């Protein structure tokens, strides 16, 4: 699963990336954008999984990992960035979801064209730029198909019709994901990887001393989630040794890291849920698409488990907590379930697959 951090020049993207990763990226702090996107694999913190770890004290502990990419800034027209705009957008198209970073802080050391932050306008510009890129793609393809006139195949006719709807949505300022397209025709559009068809999470980067966090709710755009956060402080926190973090956070009055909530929000926006496997060997979280059944979940763990699937033993994380983190008590409470292949796995299920190959 890949998330791309995009936004205007100097929006605070690299700082947000540092907050996620605890690493200073190759694109230095105050330096303008470097070459391509910096990439890091980030573990998604899940307090439920941490509770399971405390309970089982396992030899191995494996949270879900996502790949985060720190993109160069999207240049204003006439400005330069480390990548050409077209290359940048093409690379962003490969991501599964976008984190759109918008600046609400002031910073003297960065060569902004306008020093004063204007998050609403900045977000609007980014949304327009990405939507325009989608429109451009749709229009080009429509023109190409229309040159064929009577020689379009049936699939091409359906693709054309779907693209015409995409085009009108974009022209009206709506995102591709808002267009209702029959499931069968969606396949024909999949190759375009439209930017406004992806899940988007808004990250408003706030000044260190806070400021009005409600600005995040006022930002317009096709966002599935909106978060305001003090990314620079959070970057400093995540660069500390784990032991020093708690004290530093307490000093700053930060209870939990918004960058972690942001990652979870992105994860949810992608339509992904987590189930857990637990025991003394390993405590692990697994990502699956919402709606996946028990066999599909088993297959995520290992193809043998799907092939030889017999049954899934399941209890919910919440029931486990309610039973004092005791499996015997879960059974006694009647919350330990034996499920078949078709069972739709829920977020927070603790699963044990019985199989034979
Ligand atoms: N006060 C404050 N300053 C920040 C914050 N985030 C970033 N900055 C500063 O703003 C400047 C630009 O931040 P970056 O994170 O490099 O921005 P960027 O979006 O990666 O910039 P480009 O890659 O050049 O587009 C740096 O000097 C940061 O220290 C923040 O949350 N608060
Ligand atoms: Mg940067």
């Amino acid at each position: 699963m890949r998330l791309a951090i995009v936004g205007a020049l100097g929006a605070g993207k690299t700082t947000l990336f540092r907050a996620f990763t605890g690493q200073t990226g190759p694109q230095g702090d105050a330096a303008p954008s470097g070459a391509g996107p910096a990439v890091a694999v980030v573990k998604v913190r899940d307090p439920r999984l941490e509770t399971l770890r405390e309970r089982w004290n396992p030899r191995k502990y494996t949270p879900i990992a996502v790949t985060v990419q720190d993109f160069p800034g999207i240049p204003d027209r006439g400005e330069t960035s480390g990548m050409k705009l077209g290359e940048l957008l093409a690379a962003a198209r490969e991501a599964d979801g976008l984190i759109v970073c918008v600046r609400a802080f002031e910073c003297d050391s960065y060569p902004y064209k306008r020093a004063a932050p204007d998050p609403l306008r900045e977000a609007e510009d980014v949304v327009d730029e990405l939507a325009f890129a989608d429109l451009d793609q749709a229009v080009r393809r429509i023109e190409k198909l229309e040159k064929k006139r009577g020689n379009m195949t049936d699939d091409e006719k359906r693709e054309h019709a779907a693209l015409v709807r995409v085009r009108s949505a974009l022209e009206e300022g709506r995102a591709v994901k808002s267009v209702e397209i029959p499931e069968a025709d969606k396949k024909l559009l999949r190759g375009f990887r439209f930017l406004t068809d992806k899940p988007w999470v808004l990250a408003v980067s706030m000044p260190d001393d806070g400021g009005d966090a409600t600005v995040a709710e006022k930002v317009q755009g096709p966002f599935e989630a909106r978060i305001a956060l003090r990314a620079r402080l959070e970057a400093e926190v995540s660069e500390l040794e784990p032991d020093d973090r708690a004290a530093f956070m307490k000093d700053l009055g930060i209870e939990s890291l918004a960058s972690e909530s942001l990652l979870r929000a992105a994860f949810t926006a992608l339509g992904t849920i987590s189930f857990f496997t637990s025991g003394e060997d390993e405590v692990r979280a697994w990502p699956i698409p919402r709606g996946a059944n028990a066999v599909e979940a088993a297959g995520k763990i290992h193809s043998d488990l799907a092939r030889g699937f017999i049954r899934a033993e399941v209890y919910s994380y919440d029931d486990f907590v309610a039973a004092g983190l005791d499996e015997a008590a879960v059974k006694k409470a009647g919350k330990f379930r034996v499920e078949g292949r078709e069972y739709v796995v829920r977020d927070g299920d603790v699963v044990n697959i019985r199989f034979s190959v």
Side-chain angles (χ1 to χ4, degrees):
M1 189 174 331
R2 202 163 356 145
L3 297 170
I5 307 176
V6 298
L9 288 166
K13 300 176 295 298
T14 300
T15 306
L16 184 60
F17 180 77
R18 283 170 45 213
F20 286 138
T21 59
Q23 295 168 10
T24 310
Q27 306 168 42
D29 189 359
S33 305
V39 179
V41 175
V42 180
K43 296 191 176 101
V44 182
R45 258 198 74 190
D46 185 334
R48 298 171 300 181
L49 195 67
E50 285 166 9
T51 303
L52 293 177
R53 170 168 63 174
E54 277 162 36
R55 162 65 182 81
W56 293 103
N57 194 19
R59 280 179 279 281
K60 210 167 155 217
Y61 177 66
T62 319
I64 289 168
V66 299
T67 301
V68 180
Q69 295 175 302
D70 172 25
F71 272 70
I74 296 172
D76 282 353
R77 310 213 171 267
E79 274 184 83
T80 51
S81 155
M83 284 166 97
K84 287 209 189 87
L85 182 59
E87 289 168 16
L88 191 157
L89 297 173
R93 254 178 223 125
E94 299 305 312
D96 301 305
L98 301 183
I99 295 173
V100 177
C101 178
V102 169
R103 176 172 69 104
F105 61 83
E106 285 191 48
C107 170
D108 297 335
S109 58
Y110 192 93
Y112 293 110
K113 209 154 71 180
R114 288 179 295 269
D118 188 349
L120 300 191
R121 178 178 165 174
E122 187 174 302
E124 202 181 309
D125 287 348
V126 172
V127 173
D128 282 354
E129 196 70 73
L130 300 186
F132 183 78
D134 284 355
L135 180 60
D136 186 50
Q137 265 193 309
V139 167
R140 277 167 201 264
R141 179 67 181 156
I142 288 172
E143 283 171 1
K144 211 166 171 183
L145 288 171
E146 286 179 354
K147 280 205 185 107
K148 298 190 164 189
R149 293 175 190 272
N151 295 327
M152 276 196 259
T153 63
D154 281 351
D155 269 2
E156 283 172 340
K157 281 182 198 151
R158 281 166 49 212
E159 183 188 345
H160 181 268
L163 282 171
V164 167
R165 299 181 59 192
V166 162
R167 179 179 64 189
S168 19
L170 289 164
E171 283 171 349
E172 289 162 15
R174 285 185 292 123
V176 173
K177 61 189 160 193
S178 74
V179 185
E180 275 176 39
I181 295 170
E183 210 47 53
D185 294 353
K186 270 190 189 152
K187 262 191 238 137
L188 301 168
L189 298 188
R190 206 166 281 160
F192 292 99
R193 312 214 69 188
F194 289 120
L195 292 161
T196 65
D197 197 26
K198 298 180 191 299
W200 288 24
V201 178
L202 173 73
V204 182
S205 207
M206 303 299 290
D208 294 350
D209 59 3
D212 180 14
T214 63
V215 63
E217 298 309 319
K218 295 180 189 129
V219 171
Q220 302 287 313
F223 300 104
E224 273 75 24
R226 294 171 161 81
I227 286 182
L229 77 169
R230 294 185 286 170
R232 187 158 74 178
L233 292 185
E234 297 211 358
E236 279 171 29
V237 171
S238 61
E239 281 158 18
L240 293 172
E241 293 301 322
D243 290 347
D244 301 333
R245 275 183 210 167
F248 189 74
M249 283 170 66
K250 207 171 158 210
D251 280 352
L252 294 170
I254 302 178
E255 264 178 42
S256 63
L257 295 178
S259 48
E260 290 174 356
S261 320
L262 182 63
L263 215 52
R264 284 197 294 271
F267 192 76
T268 308
L270 285 165
T272 309
I273 61 166
S274 324
F275 75 91
F276 308 125
T277 51
S278 64
E280 277 147 17
D281 277 339
E282 187 180 25
V283 164
R284 180 161 181 168
W286 304 86
I288 45 168
R290 187 178 299 282
N293 66 25
V295 186
E296 287 158 344
K300 181 83 197 168
I301 302 172
H302 197 286
S303 56
D304 282 353
L305 270 63
R307 202 152 44 86
F309 183 93
I310 299 172
R311 61 177 186 270
E313 297 168 353
V314 184
Y315 51 84
S316 76
Y317 170 81
D318 290 339
D319 288 339
F320 190 50
V321 171
L325 305 179
D326 177 6
E327 280 190 352
V330 173
K331 282 185 182 155
K332 224 169 165 182
K335 303 288 188 185
F336 187 98
R337 291 173 280 130
V338 174
E339 304 282 3
R341 310 174 66 87
E342 299 304 326
Y343 170 71
V344 174
V345 176
R346 293 187 211 139
D347 188 50
D349 274 350
V350 181
V351 175
N352 180 29
I353 305 290
R354 295 284 177 191
F355 71 109
S356 124
V357 283

